[in-house]
Amino acid sequence: MTTVGVRARVRAALDRVLNSAYLSEASPLSFNAAVAPTSAIADGSLSAVLNVLDAGSSLQVNAVLDQLSPQVYAELYSQSLSRLQDIQKTVSDRLSALGTALVTEGRPEVLASATGVGEENAMTAWTNTYGSASAHPGNNSLGDQGSSLSNYGNVSGVERRLGSLALGLLGAVGGGSEQMNLTGARISSDSWHLGLYMSSPLFWRLFLDVSGFYGEGDSTIRRTQNIPGVGVFQSREKAMTQEWLMQVGMGAQLASASAGWSVVPSIRIAHAGMRQNRISESGMGSLGIKTDAAVQGTFISRMGLEVANEWRLGRLPVRTSGNVAWVHDFDSKPRMVGVRWDGAPDVPWAISSGKQTSDAMRAGFSLEVGLGDRRTLRLYGEQEFLQGSKVLRGGVSYTIGF
């Protein structure tokens, strides 16, 4: 997800550094280290870079500009959003099961066992282990060599039926990593989240659900600058993020009770947000980056359709389902983060995360088996089709009633 135009932004930032009074009284207008006094630079690393830019070949100059890009610090938003969507997927699946069970006459066996519908004040515990992987191809002609992103974790919850209302408490822990191919930078993250959710029938066969969760991400960012003729600079920094997602949804059971099928269209609107703390990079000399704190967010809609049927495999009740969904991000523009070089702290500029895809199609399949005594096991997989890339999700869930 490396943003197109990285080189142009770094070049513009260097021009601003060269024109700043901090570096040169002569205010040079382009890459010309000869007129930029090194006494203004703490350790000369920025001056050495300017020498390469002034005398290097086109390939060397492009390589240096690529290495100078600190875009990885803006990519914290992309990783946070991906993590929130993975948790949202788990919560939405659980809410769909609850809502469908609450408004379905006849209460299919597997669905009733998994949700406790039909039992007064029933308690249910569930746990879901998930994983996702995505690869974003690059465009070398534009200085974009792509990236890869993966998440894994567990979401668990406990809920209680109060009449026709279902209330639940959830917790999530997980990890993930993102590798940016352009600069060789990498983000490794651990996270935790806590949240609440509820589902209730409305009228006819409509149901309403509301959910929300908040948590923190603890990321380690590794960045290497291997600049020809200058040397290797390495940094390893910690970054903290606060993350949240709030969602409201509605669905309807369209199939008749006698059909043995479940046909449920649904729509959900969510707000996902993240606050990124300040970061101060070390080990890079004058090329070290200091970032500003930033609060980012977006609204996401999901319109889906699930078709399911229950049948028997020998003595075991089985529920199979297929689903498709269209997901729209209302604010998919790149997210900007303010930065400064240690070599010129009075010259602020900005970097941006990769542009998110506005629209994506998702298609998935699940198999759920009733194990008796209100225990069920569910396997699922989903593929998300984005512009120029794909995201794969999958997991296994287990529920037990008591």
Side-chain angles (χ1 to χ4, degrees):
M1 287 179 288
T2 302
T3 304
V4 173
V6 165
R7 293 169 182 161
R9 287 199 304 276
V10 175
R11 184 183 294 269
L14 280 174
D15 274 330
R16 293 188 66 183
V17 171
L18 288 169
N19 280 288
S20 71
Y22 181 82
L23 288 183
S24 174
E25 297 178 357
S27 298
L29 300 177
S30 63
F31 301 119
N32 189 346
V35 295
T38 59
S39 59
I41 306 172
D43 59 8
S45 60
L46 185 54
S47 178
V49 170
L50 298 179
N51 280 323
V52 174
L53 293 174
D54 184 55
S57 65
S58 176
L59 290 177
Q60 288 177 317
V61 169
N62 285 333
V64 168
L65 294 178
D66 289 344
Q67 291 293 319
L68 285 175
S69 170
Q71 189 198 355
V72 65
Y73 293 107
E75 282 299 311
L76 285 171
Y77 173 79
S78 300
Q79 192 179 65
S80 175
L81 184 61
S82 176
R83 179 166 52 238
L84 291 174
Q85 288 182 322
D86 283 341
I87 300 173
Q88 179 194 27
K89 159 69 176 172
T90 297
V91 176
S92 295
D93 283 355
R94 184 62 190 171
L95 288 169
S96 290
L98 279 171
T100 302
L102 288 170
V103 301
T104 300
E105 299 176 3
R107 295 165 184 160
E109 185 175 356
V110 176
L111 199 60
S113 178
T115 60
V117 170
E119 298 187 22
E120 190 67 23
N121 297 326
M123 294 282 291
T124 304
W126 57 272
T127 184
N128 178 75
T129 300
Y130 68 86
S132 69
S134 61
H136 300 264
N139 187 330
N140 292 331
S141 64
L142 296 173
D144 177 11
Q145 296 179 23
S147 64
S148 58
L149 176 64
S150 63
N151 291 314
Y152 57 88
N154 178 271
V155 186
S156 298
V158 59
E159 62 198 30
R160 183 168 186 174
R161 289 282 318 289
L162 299 174
S164 60
L165 178 67
L167 298 174
L169 171 69
L170 67 92
V173 292
S177 64
E178 180 176 3
Q179 178 72 45
M180 298 182 64
N181 300 330
L182 180 65
T183 61
R186 181 182 179 86
I187 306 174
S188 301
S189 298
D190 296 306
S191 64
W192 63 265
H193 296 81
L194 293 174
L196 299 168
Y197 62 93
M198 62 81 66
S199 182
S200 175
L202 293 176
F203 56 88
W204 187 57
R205 295 177 181 172
L206 290 172
F207 61 85
L208 172 73
D209 55 61
V210 179
S211 60
F213 53 89
Y214 167 88
E216 293 186 354
D218 182 1
S219 300
T220 299
I221 301 175
R222 296 173 175 86
R223 192 163 77 98
T224 301
Q225 293 179 344
N226 187 3
I227 302 174
V230 178
V232 177
F233 301 90
Q234 294 181 322
S235 70
R236 182 179 183 273
E237 306 303 324
K238 287 285 189 178
M240 294 294 298
T241 57
Q242 293 81 45
E243 307 166 349
W244 59 89
L245 187 141
M246 296 167 287
Q247 177 177 263
V248 59
M250 182 180 294
Q253 165 65 295
L254 301 184
S256 64
S258 59
W261 287 85
S262 173
V263 180
V264 181
S266 63
I267 181 171
R268 290 185 171 87
I269 302 292
H271 177 264
M274 182 266 278
R275 182 186 186 277
Q276 179 176 330
N277 292 354
R278 290 183 176 89
I279 302 170
S280 182
E281 190 177 59
S282 61
M284 294 287 190
S286 297
L287 300 176
I289 292 293
K290 295 182 184 296
T291 74
D292 297 335
V295 178
Q296 318 281 5
T298 186
F299 283 92
I300 301 172
S301 67
R302 183 185 186 277
M303 299 178 62
L305 175 66
E306 180 186 68
V307 178
N309 186 33
E310 289 205 7
W311 47 285
R312 301 193 76 82
L313 180 62
R315 300 177 61 182
L316 294 177
V318 177
R319 184 173 190 262
T320 53
S321 66
N323 63 83
V324 293
W326 170 51
V327 180
H328 177 72
D329 188 335
F330 286 89
D331 190 7
S332 59
K333 66 183 180 182
R335 294 311 198 273
M336 304 300 294
V337 176
V339 298
R340 300 168 188 264
W341 269 318
D342 273 349
D346 55 342
V347 184
W349 48 294
I351 52 174
S352 70
S353 64
K355 182 182 184 299
Q356 305 295 312
T357 301
S358 299
D359 298 283
M361 291 297 298
R362 297 178 180 178
F365 177 84
S366 73
L367 172 68
E368 191 168 11
V369 181
L371 304 177
D373 297 327
R374 284 205 56 208
R375 293 174 295 136
T376 65
L377 181 68
R378 176 175 177 263
L379 305 174
Y380 70 90
E382 180 182 79
Q383 181 160 344
E384 180 175 338
F385 300 89
L386 303 169
Q387 183 178 359
S389 60
K390 297 178 181 178
V391 180
L392 294 175
R393 293 187 176 92
V396 56
S397 299
Y398 179 75
T399 67
I400 182 170
F402 50 93

